């Protein structure tokens, strides 16, 4: 695609989908008036804490597994390195032994050409008792038979040596193969032992974790029982104190105040005694008599005021008539003014609707609100 319209990357597409999903979840929480909370989102925080704990637990288990794997690999690498060193050392020993036994200077085919003791070991050419006589004549080969015999013997020895070397080489190969098989069996045995140790370690760790969890559960159960027993004891004490306390027994002595005999403590006072009630009743009768006398005085005073109010009423009627006429005139003027203002308002609205504001607001303008959580 050209023109700047490139396809979205898969990772970017997933990120966009994730953000859209989070936005929809947030809109559900915010626009729901029954579940909306003022402050932080406690449910989301709990989910984040739980996810973080699970991630830390998985990372811890992965680290422990990797640590066990590293220990196993280190042990295996150390064993293989030591085994390789021992194998190279044994091969060097066998090579030196083979060179010492089968590759000595006397066994070489060209040794007679560079033998330092060759002249001393040679016999005279003619052994006829005439030492001063001629030993060899021109064209005469006195050592032909001996040389031919030695050559045949050398060829036979060389063939025998090759046969022996081939046989020894086969035997060494067989021994090396057997040694290699033994070493491989030993290596497999070591690997099985390491795997067995790893399994035993894992089982011991699982058993320790299980025992710890059982102990922790027992401790938590014991703690819950202790808390429950403590609550039971506290509830029993509270019921006992409430039942036999001064509140339910209504002990009047507890309501006395230290500020005087006429003062009481409101939260402890349970009512008046019969003597106090009788005294209050007498006071109420006296107040009733005083109230009747006050009513009679007020009634006489009210009669006097009636005459004054009648006289004032006539003057008030005359003043009200005058005020009503003035108010009627003011209302008429106000109606005329309102009519004029209404005509001006209509003209201004007509001008604004047809000249100033030509574009009317449609329903799409109001549908754009409350569409996001931001």
């Amino acid at each position: 695609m050209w023109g700047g319209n490139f396809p979205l990357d898969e990772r970017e597409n997933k990120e966009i989908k994730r953000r859209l999903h989070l936005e929809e979840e947030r809109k559900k929480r915010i626009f729901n008036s029954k579940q909306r909370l003022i402050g932080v989102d406690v449910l989301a925080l709990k989910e984040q804490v739980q996810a973080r704990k699970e991630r830390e637990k998985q990372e811890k288990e992965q680290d422990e597994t990797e640590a066990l794997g590293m220990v196993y690999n280190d042990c295996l690498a150390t064993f293989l390195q030591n085994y390789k060193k021992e194998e190279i050392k044994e091969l060097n020993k066998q090579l030196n032994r083979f060179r010492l036994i089968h590759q000595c200077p006397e066994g070489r085919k060209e040794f007679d050409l560079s033998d330092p003791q060759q002249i001393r070991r040679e016999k005279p050419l003619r052994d006829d008792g005439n030492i001063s006589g001629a030993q060899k004549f021109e064209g005469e080969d006195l050592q032909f038979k001996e040389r031919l015999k030695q050559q045949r013997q050398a060829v036979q020895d060389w063939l025998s040596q090759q046969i022996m070397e081939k046989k020894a080489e086969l035997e060494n190969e067989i021994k090396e193969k057997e040694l290699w098989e033994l070493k491989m069996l030993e290596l497999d045995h070591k690997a099985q032992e390491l795997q067995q140790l790893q399994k035993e370690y894992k089982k011991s760790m699982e058993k320790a974790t299980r025992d710890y969890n059982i102990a922790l559960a027992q401790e938590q159960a014991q703690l819950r029982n202790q808390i429950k027993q403590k609550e039971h004891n506290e509830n029993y004490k509270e019921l006992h104190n409430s039942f036999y306390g001064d509140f339910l027994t209504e002990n009047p002595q507890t309501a006395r105040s230290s500020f005087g005999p006429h003062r009481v403590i409101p939260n402890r006072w349970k009512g008046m005694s019969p003597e106090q009630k009788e005294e209050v009743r007498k006071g109420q009768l006296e107040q009733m008599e005083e109230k009747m006398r006050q009513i009679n005085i007020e009634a006489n005073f009210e009669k006097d005021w009636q005459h004054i109010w009648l006289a004032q009423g006539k003057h008030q009627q005359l003043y009200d008539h005058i005020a009503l006429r003035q108010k009627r005139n003011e209302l008429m003027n106000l109606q005329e003014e309102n009519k004029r203002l209404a005509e001006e308002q209509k003209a201004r609205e007509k001008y604004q609707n047809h000249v100033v504001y030509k574009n009317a607001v449609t329903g799409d303008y109001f549908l754009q609100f409350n569409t996001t959580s931001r």
Side-chain angles (χ1 to χ4, degrees):
M1 298 176 67
W2 301 93
N5 296 324
F6 295 97
L8 292 175
D9 190 7
E10 184 178 358
R11 183 181 300 174
E12 185 177 357
N13 192 8
K14 290 183 179 180
E15 181 65 20
I16 292 173
K17 291 182 179 179
R18 186 182 70 81
R19 289 180 178 272
L20 291 175
H21 179 69
L22 293 177
E23 180 66 20
E24 292 296 329
E25 294 294 333
R26 181 179 172 87
K27 286 166 63 177
K28 290 180 182 179
R29 294 195 304 271
I30 291 177
F31 294 148
N32 192 351
S33 59
K34 293 183 179 180
Q35 296 181 357
R36 184 171 62 246
L37 301 175
I38 299 175
V40 297
D41 193 351
V42 180
L43 181 61
L45 292 177
K46 288 183 179 179
E47 291 178 355
Q48 291 178 1
V49 172
Q50 185 66 24
R52 182 173 60 83
K53 289 182 179 180
E54 292 178 357
R55 185 171 63 255
E56 291 177 353
K57 183 178 179 182
Q58 292 177 0
E59 291 177 356
K60 184 178 180 181
E61 293 177 355
Q62 186 177 3
D63 293 338
E64 292 177 355
T65 304
E66 291 177 356
L68 291 174
M70 292 174 65
V71 172
Y72 173 77
N73 293 331
D74 290 339
C75 295
L76 184 61
T78 303
F79 175 77
L80 292 175
Q81 187 176 5
N82 295 331
Y83 170 74
K84 186 175 181 181
K85 290 181 180 179
E86 293 294 330
E87 186 178 8
I88 292 173
K89 186 177 180 180
E90 183 66 25
L91 290 175
N92 291 330
K93 287 182 179 179
Q94 294 179 3
L95 181 60
N96 293 329
R97 190 182 303 111
F98 178 80
R99 289 173 179 175
L100 182 64
I101 296 175
H102 302 287
Q103 293 182 352
C104 55
E106 293 80 5
R108 298 176 183 173
K109 294 185 292 183
E110 299 83 6
F111 180 73
D112 55 345
L113 301 177
S114 59
D115 187 5
Q117 302 295 331
Q118 181 180 5
I119 298 175
R120 292 185 179 182
R121 289 198 294 268
E122 288 181 353
K123 294 182 179 180
L125 297 176
R126 290 183 181 274
D127 191 8
D128 51 359
N130 188 5
I131 297 175
S132 61
Q135 296 292 318
K136 184 179 180 181
F137 296 97
E138 187 69 25
E140 187 179 9
D141 189 5
L142 299 178
Q143 298 180 354
F144 173 74
K145 294 181 179 180
E146 185 66 23
R147 187 173 62 256
L148 182 62
K149 182 179 179 181
Q150 290 179 358
Q151 289 177 355
R152 290 176 178 175
Q153 185 64 33
V155 170
Q156 186 177 1
D157 294 340
W158 181 68
L159 292 174
S160 300
Q161 185 178 358
Q162 283 187 343
I163 292 171
M164 292 177 64
E165 289 178 356
K166 187 66 176 179
K167 185 177 180 180
E169 185 177 356
L170 291 174
E171 291 178 355
N172 290 331
E173 289 180 356
I174 293 172
K175 289 182 180 179
E176 288 178 359
K177 186 175 181 181
E178 292 177 354
L179 182 62
W180 173 254
E181 290 178 354
L182 292 175
K183 292 295 183 181
M184 291 301 297
L185 291 174
E186 185 179 359
L187 182 61
D188 293 338
H189 182 67
K190 290 290 184 181
Q192 291 178 359
E193 289 181 354
L194 289 175
Q195 290 180 356
Q196 186 66 25
L197 290 175
Q198 185 178 2
K199 290 181 180 179
E200 292 178 356
Y201 176 74
K202 188 175 181 180
K203 289 182 180 179
S204 63
M205 289 296 294
E206 291 178 352
K207 185 176 181 301
T209 304
R210 186 168 56 254
D211 295 340
Y212 175 76
N213 293 331
I214 293 172
L216 184 61
Q218 293 177 355
E219 183 179 357
Q220 291 178 354
Q222 185 177 2
L223 182 61
R224 286 195 296 268
N225 293 329
Q226 292 178 358
I227 294 173
K228 186 175 180 181
Q229 185 65 29
K230 185 177 179 181
E231 291 179 353
H232 178 72
N233 295 333
E234 291 178 353
N235 293 332
Y236 177 77
K237 288 181 181 179
E238 184 177 359
L239 290 174
H240 183 271
N241 294 331
S242 299
F243 185 76
Y244 294 101
D246 295 333
F247 182 77
L248 294 180
T249 56
E250 298 183 356
N251 186 6
Q253 300 297 328
T254 59
R256 290 185 177 181
S257 177
S258 60
F259 295 100
H262 62 284
R263 303 288 295 275
V264 294
I265 301 174
N267 59 349
R268 298 182 183 178
W269 189 58
K270 298 300 180 178
M272 296 184 293
S273 62
E275 293 80 5
Q276 292 176 345
K277 291 180 180 180
E278 184 66 27
E279 185 177 357
V280 171
R281 190 175 297 109
K282 290 180 180 180
Q284 289 177 350
L285 292 174
E286 292 177 357
Q287 290 178 359
M288 290 171 66
E289 293 175 356
E290 182 66 25
K291 185 67 175 177
M292 291 301 294
R293 287 194 298 270
Q294 187 69 27
I295 291 172
N296 293 329
I297 294 171
E298 290 179 356
N300 295 328
F301 184 74
E302 186 68 24
K303 289 178 181 180
D304 295 336
W305 273 104
Q306 287 292 332
H307 298 290
I308 297 171
W309 287 346
L310 289 174
Q312 290 181 353
K314 293 179 180 180
H315 294 288
Q316 186 67 33
Q317 288 179 0
L318 181 60
Y319 176 77
D320 291 340
H321 181 70
I322 296 170
L324 181 61
R325 186 169 55 188
Q326 291 178 356
K327 187 175 182 181
R328 189 181 296 114
N329 295 330
E330 290 177 358
L331 288 175
M332 292 177 64
N333 296 330
L334 182 61
Q335 288 178 358
E336 294 293 334
E337 183 67 20
N338 289 337
K339 185 177 180 181
R340 184 180 63 80
L341 292 175
E343 292 176 355
E344 292 180 357
Q345 180 69 21
K346 289 181 179 179
R348 186 166 54 253
E349 289 180 355
K350 183 177 180 181
Y351 175 76
Q352 289 179 353
N353 294 330
H354 295 85
V355 178
V356 179
Y357 304 114
K358 293 182 179 180
N359 298 326
V361 179
T362 62
D364 295 335
Y365 174 76
F366 299 98
L367 293 177
Q368 64 181 346
F369 298 101
N370 289 333
T371 57
T372 63
S373 62
R374 303 296 177 182

